[in-house]
């Protein structure tokens, strides 16, 4: 007898033998027991999961010679021994016609079927038509079958098997009972493979059977086909073929998932070189880029499911060892990271299908995964932005402390507002040698108008215009409690009262600025950069134009913005902040490019630092002492604004 492949040899002959389709077999057996036989059935689902097999079993059950409940047939299952059952199993039954709808899909073939359906069965109870791949039938052919399918003779039953039920017209689907088949679970396939291996006298490791079941991807027929091929290529030991995991991986052209676990570890550590070296080793070994991408997509999916549901989740249709491996990789990343990884690799896998240089696109996709680790989430970035009206220190005023205000029952003109002396300040307040700067919630322009009005009428305070009135709703400069302790950066101008305030009021607040010496600040920053080896940055800031106004410091340097970004890198900026903090200056220092001479002065009248001569031994002094530089300065009557040291570092 000719050899039968495992998918045909172990094809189920009873409803109870079908794995993973209990919802279908249970319904059909109940319908047979109750005599509720429909004239049309549609079986749809994944490939190789038993659609045509159940159609044949149902045909045997309908035409079985033994009645349900008899000694030969106690249940709705077919007896399997009568003449009708044996003929249907062999495929030569006269009254059970199997049609390949992918080939016989035209209107002429359907017309012949419709004409033959009018005649009664030759011997059995029903004339049954099994249409495989029914979605291939044309619309015209379906229309020719429509009337017969809606009102067929009582001896005809139509069964249509398809993988694409959406391609069948709705008019046909509405006239049939539709059964949607499920993909077979991993455990069901594994159990079936274990049983078949024992019957075929084949020894197989659990890892090998798990790989076969996973390769089936929910299809029992695909898993049996791969197992048949693996048995043929397996080494024979004592008349017994032996299956192991490395042999099956080599047979399928796959790589073990330990490779992808190493890739995930390298990605988590931002090791781009390690990732590329690993992929280079796999590609040089002859693995296909598309196959590697497909496997990596599946591994990422399993990692994401392990992150969502845990190692024991039913979402993971893999072996226990692979579950543990996916869980270990999932713990290295967040759910968002794994989602982004899966999205990038899916797009990479799609691109490999129509790209010539598949290797380059695979390497690029893996490098993207490494770079995704360096991205900052939008929520974290937005949380670091300063709130409008507040400083980075957290307070509502430039001092950085919390906003504490008092109510004033009588508005005082800005020109007559008394300045708080050190003796009248609150405990903890610091004296400041700088002149007090008036602060008003209405803006500088409105304050100037009020000063002009106060100068014209010194006897009585000017009325507050409607445009300057403060609404009754609470504002950042209003609290409802009594007098509270003022921070050192805020002083009150005007009497304090906790009584109810009028509808319109003016609150005048003065603030003090931090005390520092601009020259000392510049020297400290330049010396710190020079000591850290940032000679170019030190010379650049030392010869820059240092401006200070309203407590803010800005340095204008005569260098283009591109070169400024290269000179003042992240390390140099950190040194500047540290040196400024050591001098007592806690506010940011702005360094701007003024290469085109279009620098604008700071608000108000800024005070500037004196020009600092080049420090002895610095790059600036070495350049100015060079004979060629001196000759050029004399010849062109020029000046040296900045010096960049482009020489190679001398060995210690």
């Amino acid at each position: 007898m000719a050899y039968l492949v495992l998918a045909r040899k172990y094809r189920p002959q009873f409803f109870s033998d079908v794995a993973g389709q209990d919802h279908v077999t249970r319904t059909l057996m109940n319908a047979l027991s109750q005599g509720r036989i429909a004239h049309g059935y549609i079986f749809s689902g994944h490939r190789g999961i038993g659609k045509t097999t159940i159609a044949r079993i149902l045909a045997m059950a309908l035409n079985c010679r033994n009645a349900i409940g008899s000694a030969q047939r106690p249940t709705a299952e077919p007896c399997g021994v009568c003449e009708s059952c044996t003929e249907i199993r062999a495929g030569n039954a006269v009254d059970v016609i199997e049609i390949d709808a992918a080939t016989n899909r035209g209107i002429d073939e359907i017309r012949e079927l419709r004409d033959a359906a009018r005649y009664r069965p030759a011997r059995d109870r029903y004339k049954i038509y099994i249409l495989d791949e029914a979605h291939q039938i044309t619309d015209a052919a379906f229309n020719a079958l429509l009337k017969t399918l809606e009102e067929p003779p009582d001896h005809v039953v139509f069964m249509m098997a398809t993988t694409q039920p959406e391609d069948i017209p709705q008019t046909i689907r509405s006239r049939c009972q539709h059964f949607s088949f499920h993909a077979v679970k991993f455990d069901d396939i594994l159990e079936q493979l274990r049983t078949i291996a024992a019957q075929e006298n084949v020894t197989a490791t659990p890892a090998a059977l798990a790989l076969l079941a996973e390769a089936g991807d929910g299809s029992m027929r695909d898993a049996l086909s791969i197992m048949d091929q693996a048995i043929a290529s397996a080494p024979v030991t004592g008349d017994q073929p032996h299956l192991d995991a490395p042999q099956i991986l080599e047979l399928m052209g796959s790589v073990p998932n330990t490779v992808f676990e190493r890739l995930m570890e390298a990605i988590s550590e931002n090791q781009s070189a390690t990732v590329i070296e690993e992929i280079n080793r796999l590609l040089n070994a002859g693995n296909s880029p598309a196959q590697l991408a497909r496997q990596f997509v599946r591994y990422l999916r399993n990692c994401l499911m392990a992150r969502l549901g845990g190692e024991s989740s039913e979402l993971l249709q893999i072996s226990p060892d692979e579950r543990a491996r996916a869980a270990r990789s999932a713990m290295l990343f967040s759910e968002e990271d794994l989602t982004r990884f899966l999205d990038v690799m899916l797009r990479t896998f799609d691109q490999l299908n129509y790209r010539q240089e598949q290797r380059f696109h695979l390497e690029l996709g893996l490098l993207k995964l490494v770079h995704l680790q360096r991205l900052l989430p939008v929520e974290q970035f937005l949380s670091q932005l300063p709130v409008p009206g507040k400083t980075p220190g957290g307070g509502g005023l430039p001092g950085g402390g919390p906003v504490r205000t008092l109510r004033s029952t009588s508005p005082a003109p800005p020109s007559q507002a008394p300045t708080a002396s050190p003796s009248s300040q609150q405990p903890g307040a610091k004296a400041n040698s700088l002149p007090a700067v008036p602060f008003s919630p209405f803006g500088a322009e409105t304050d100037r108008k009020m000063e002009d009005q106060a100068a014209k009428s010194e006897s009585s305070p000017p009325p507050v215009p409607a445009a300057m009135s403060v609404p009754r709703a609470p504002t950042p400069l209003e609290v409802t409690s009594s007098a509270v302790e003022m921070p050192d950066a805020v002083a009150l101008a005007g009497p304090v009262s906790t009584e109810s305030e009028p509808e319109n009021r003016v609150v005048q607040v003065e603030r003090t600025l931090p005390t520092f010496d601009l020259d000392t600040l510049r020297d400290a920053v330049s010396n710190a950069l020079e000591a850290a080896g940032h000679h170019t940055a030190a010379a650049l800031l030392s010869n820059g134009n240092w401006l200070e106004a309203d407590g803010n410091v800005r340095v204008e340097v005569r260098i283009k913005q591109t070169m400024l970004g290269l000179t003042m890198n992240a390390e140099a900026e950190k040194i500047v902040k540290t040196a400024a903090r050591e001098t007592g200056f806690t506010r940011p220092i702005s360094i701007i490019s003024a290469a085109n001479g279009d620098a604008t002065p700071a608000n108000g009248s800024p005070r500037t630092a004196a020009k600092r001569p080049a420090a002895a031994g610095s790059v600036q002094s070495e350049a100015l002492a060079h004979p060629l530089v001196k000759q050029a300065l004399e010849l062109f009557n020029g000046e040296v604004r900045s010096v960049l040291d482009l020489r190679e570092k001398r060995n210690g």
Side-chain angles (χ1 to χ4, degrees), residues 262-276 332-333 337 341 366-375:
R262 292 197 299 268
L263 283 177
M264 296 292 280
E265 292 175 355
I267 291 172
S268 67
E269 297 173 358
N270 288 324
Q271 297 179 356
S272 303
T274 305
V275 173
I276 295 301
L332 299 176
F333 306 94
D337 290 335
F341 291 172
L366 293 173
L367 284 178
K368 288 180 180 178
L369 303 187
V370 179
H371 295 162
L372 284 176
Q373 288 288 96
R374 306 169 185 169
L375 296 181

Side-chain angles (χ1 to χ4, degrees), residues 94-95 119-127:
V94 178
D95 295 323
Y119 302 100
R120 298 193 63 84
R123 185 190 58 192
D124 295 329
R125 185 181 301 110
Y126 293 98
K127 180 177 282 189

Side-chain angles (χ1 to χ4, degrees), residues 553-571:
V553 172
R554 181 175 62 187
V555 184
E556 297 177 353
V557 293
R558 299 291 182 175
I559 187 175
K560 292 186 177 180
Q561 185 66 34
T562 303
M563 298 300 298
L564 178 60
L566 295 176
T567 305
M568 296 302 301
N569 52 26
E571 184 179 357

Side-chain angles (χ1 to χ4, degrees), residues 476-488:
L477 295 175
E478 178 183 9
V479 293
T480 57
S481 62
S482 59
V484 295
E485 181 182 356
M486 301 291 291
D488 56 354

Side-chain angles (χ1 to χ4, degrees), residues 15 35-36 67 88 130 429 604 616:
F15 287 120
R36 306 175 70 87
I88 294 174
I130 300 177

